[in-house]
Amino acid sequence: MRAVGIILAGGQNAKLKELTQVRATSAMPIGSSYRAIDFSLSNMANSGISKVAIITQYNSRSLHDHLNSSKWWGFGDKIGGMFVFSPFLTQSGNSWFRGTADSIYQNMAFLKRSNEPYVLIASGDCIYKMDYNTIIEYHMQKNADITVVCKDMKGMDVRNFGVVELDGEGRVVEFEEKPLEAFSDTISLGIYVIRRELLIELLETIIPEGRYDFVRDIVVRYRKKLNIMGFICDGYWASVNSVESYYNINMDFLRSDIRNSLFFQEPYIETKNKDEPPAKYNSNSQVKNSLIGSGSIIDGIVENSVLFRRVRIGEKAIVRDSIIMEGCEIGYGCIIENAILDKDVLLTANQVIRGSGDEPFIVKKNSAL
Amino acid sequence: MRKKEMMAMLLAGGQGSRLGVLTKNKAKPAVSFGGKYRIIDFPMSNCINSGVDTVGVLTQYQPLQLNRHIGTGIPWDLDRRYGGVTILAPHVKEGEEGYWYSGTANAIYQNIHFIDTYNPTYVLIISGDHIYKMNYDAMLDFHKKNGSDATIAVLEVPLEEACRFGIMNADEDDRIYEFEEKPENPKSNLASMGIYIFTWEMLRNALLEAHERHHDTDFGKHVIPMYLEFNKNIYAYRFSGYWKDVGTIESYWKANMDLIQTIPEFNLYEDFAKIYTSSEHQPPQYTGPFADIKVSLVSEGCEVYGAVYNSILGPDVKVAAGTVVRDSIIMEGCVIGENCVIERAIIDENCEIGRDVHIGVGENIPNRLKPHIYDTGITVIGEGSVVPDGVVIGKNAVVHGITECGDYDNMRLESGETLEMTGEV
């Protein structure tokens, strides 16, 4: 085992509005049957990283529910395992995690008790498939202190990301979180490789100084002192960081190239098994260009939409360009366009819900209309 | 000694020969059912849903696929530190030769020591051949309440069909006084479902004694008559839910089709008593821009671009554009090319059907080689088969193996004909 994994899943994101009132960003439902964290968790397992810490904080119940057993991702080994860390109280009081670096620092025992030489840090709210071994190998080959996985966004607006500038050898020479003016098209994907002992040393230096953020206080602050390398990856990558990106990510799965690379090419992305029966199409169903979750029963019209598990679409109901999460029931004759229905929404007959292309209408979890 | 109140022994060794090519390479309990399930998932899920967490699965005929499916029992929560699922294959015993399981009771007899390790008070005997949901715990309560030595689950069948079943004749308290196997003139309509609860101590002795008399002991033929002979307490436990023996191509096809009714008699969509299965990976199911799916079940990982009517698709099935699938069962991993017409067919796992293939055309002529197996117009394509572009296949026809255009007569396989490629598939 060359590396242990740390998944930062504590984040809150106000730009997801009502959707993250009830759950952590890493627990956001994605692509009919997954949650965001399944992607980094499966990548860890598929890369042979058998010992993974998941650090949760904000609204962690939803995440703990999803992570109730390590066996769905194959982390049940005696060597290794899946460790879920939440903030806890100690005799000296304290304390919520004050930042990403602090959240690792407060669970230092995990790092100190490991003997793998490297640590791979990833965030739990990004959607991608990656073999982390290639990054660890690059890290070793370049003799890097820290390797930051980067992507060239080719002209997209990157002001919401950590923007990185690399020199000709791939060294990170500039790094700014959410810059007002982007100085390059290259962004950090929030995936890092660092030697375990160096990470311990850095954390023990910065935390007593009152610095708690991994990116700001380690990667950015030490960028000239340490050998920080950028590893450019291509392939699909998206971050769940706004209602718009959440909507677009789900709609991306209506593209067969993205489904093929994420779902049908090995290694697979795994998720918690919910044991739902196959989707059932009744005699008046008309489904076009949509993903349908298992356990769903369709009597109406569904177009260009993503339905999660156990969704019921009543007769003469029309669902277009929408995301319908697990357990929703849409009654007879309802019309739903450009909307996101959170889990277990119940709509009686003939309700109309319309958002716009720019701004999907969000119906909160457990609403009954 | 630690103790289990009741453990289950699941008979899964049968070939199910009337399922034809579907059971060529796997035991009947391993045959797919209802899209994502296998037949054995139903009794296995019933066990865990009834609180029975110790299950011995007796295998004999072609067990590889069954073994892989069961694994360590994780999907059914039967991975236990004490108990859980154990696969019991015939084995050689000390100082003697090994013997095949020669009957249902003989299979239990050969595993007496396995049962003894759990020291159960009651043993539940079930088979891996039937589609039903049942609470065995309620049956155990009935067994205890009556002070039974054995309890047999029975289904009330129409009297005119009773001659096809093992019939229990019982008094008004449902105490059984007589058992008749397939009687010509049935006296009652209580058909045995092949589900028994025995008080273990007595069954253990009965199995030893029956083995002295016969070496192919069977519950229906030997053990139950012996209990009656010695005037033991046997009660009939009436079951009124859905229960289907899927022993023939026609009954297998019909039981699958029962699931696609608007309100199916057998409902998989309830929140309680779920049926569990081993699914290795479960991406969402995609329905394409020009697809049309009606009255069908579509499993995880399917990508449908064509039309699917009155059919059942297993996991990871691809149906290309321009193709129409009607009244058919397409099992896991099949890929169907463009512009095909597939009617009233069963296509077993991992088949590749080319473009412009027509299956299920022509007259309903029974299969020439096996007229008793394939006679209801259903065409069957065996596991892992390849059917080349442009081929036309008739009704009651059977294809198994990797076939090429040259294997067909003028690109056609007429109704009732069989094309089985020799060699490994």
Side-chain angles (χ1 to χ4, degrees), chain B residues 143-159:
Chain B
H143 181 85
K144 288 193 233 171
K145 193 188 79 197
N146 287 308
S148 281
D149 300 314
T151 299
I152 303 172
V154 296
L155 193 71
E156 292 179 49
V157 296
L159 202 59

Side-chain angles (χ1 to χ4, degrees), chain A residues 20-272:
Chain A
T20 48
Q21 271 177 13
V22 289
R23 60 175 73 81
T25 316
S26 299
M28 286 297 291
I30 301 286
S32 274
S33 42
Y34 303 88
R35 287 183 185 259
I37 198 170
D38 291 333
F39 293 82
S40 37
L41 211 45
S42 299
N43 287 335
M44 296 262 178
N46 295 336
S47 304
I49 297 175
S50 60
K51 188 171 172 186
V52 176
I54 299 162
I55 300 182
T56 70
Q57 169 154 298
Y58 175 77
N59 252 336
S60 52
R61 188 212 59 82
S62 55
L63 208 51
H64 289 193
D65 183 352
H66 186 62
L67 302 173
N68 72 340
S69 170
S70 59
K71 60 188 168 189
W72 317 127
W73 299 274
F75 286 116
D77 300 350
K78 284 193 172 173
I79 302 168
M82 189 174 88
F83 301 81
V84 182
F85 295 123
S86 296
F88 50 87
L89 288 172
T90 63
Q91 278 191 338
S92 53
N94 241 3
S95 103
W96 297 106
F97 300 144
R98 291 163 290 192
T100 46
D102 188 43
S103 72
I104 302 173
Y105 178 77
Q106 288 199 36
N107 295 294
M108 191 64 107
F110 172 77
L111 286 181
K112 289 200 167 166
R113 283 181 193 162
S114 300
N115 48 24
E116 289 80 352
Y118 297 101
V119 181
L120 192 136
I121 302 173
S123 69
D125 53 10
C126 297
I127 311 305
Y128 62 107
K129 188 186 265 187
M130 193 177 283
D131 181 358
Y132 295 140
N133 287 311
T134 56
I135 302 153
I136 296 170
E137 268 150 33
Y138 176 86
H139 181 87
M140 291 161 74
Q141 185 203 331
K142 293 283 178 182
N143 244 324
D145 291 313
I146 301 176
T147 297
V148 181
V149 180
C150 303
K151 185 175 169 66
D152 184 352
M153 302 300 274
K154 298 188 178 94
M156 265 177 61
D157 181 4
V158 294
R159 285 174 301 172
N160 253 328
F161 298 96
V163 178
V164 177
E165 193 183 332
L166 307 180
D167 69 10
E169 288 160 36
R171 189 165 284 109
V172 175
V173 291
E174 198 50 73
F175 192 129
E176 195 180 343
E177 277 281 24
K178 299 181 182 142
L180 290 173
E181 294 265 336
F183 47 84
S184 93
D185 281 350
T186 306
I187 64 164
S188 159
L189 303 187
I191 304 161
Y192 313 95
V193 176
I194 181 169
R195 206 155 39 79
R196 185 176 53 88
E197 282 167 0
L198 176 64
L199 178 61
I200 293 172
E201 193 186 308
L202 288 166
L203 291 172
E204 287 180 338
T205 309
I206 66 160
I207 301 296
E209 297 171 354
R211 302 180 201 277
Y212 304 121
D213 190 71
F214 183 81
V215 173
R216 190 180 59 227
D217 301 321
I218 292 180
V219 182
V220 177
R221 197 170 142 82
Y222 281 83
R223 70 187 182 280
K224 292 190 174 123
K225 201 162 173 226
L226 297 174
N227 181 23
I228 303 186
M229 299 298 294
F231 176 90
I232 301 277
C233 82
D234 26 60
Y236 185 83
W237 178 91
S239 163
V240 184
N241 58 14
S242 65
V243 172
E244 190 193 359
S245 72
Y246 176 71
Y247 181 86
N248 290 338
I249 287 167
N250 279 290
M251 294 303 164
D252 281 344
F253 290 116
L254 298 180
R255 286 169 46 186
S256 69
D257 57 328
I258 291 176
R259 280 199 312 282
N260 282 340
S261 72
L262 277 124
F263 298 146
F264 294 115
Q265 285 165 18
E266 289 186 86
Y268 298 135
I269 304 297
E270 302 292 345
T271 188
K272 179 175 169 178

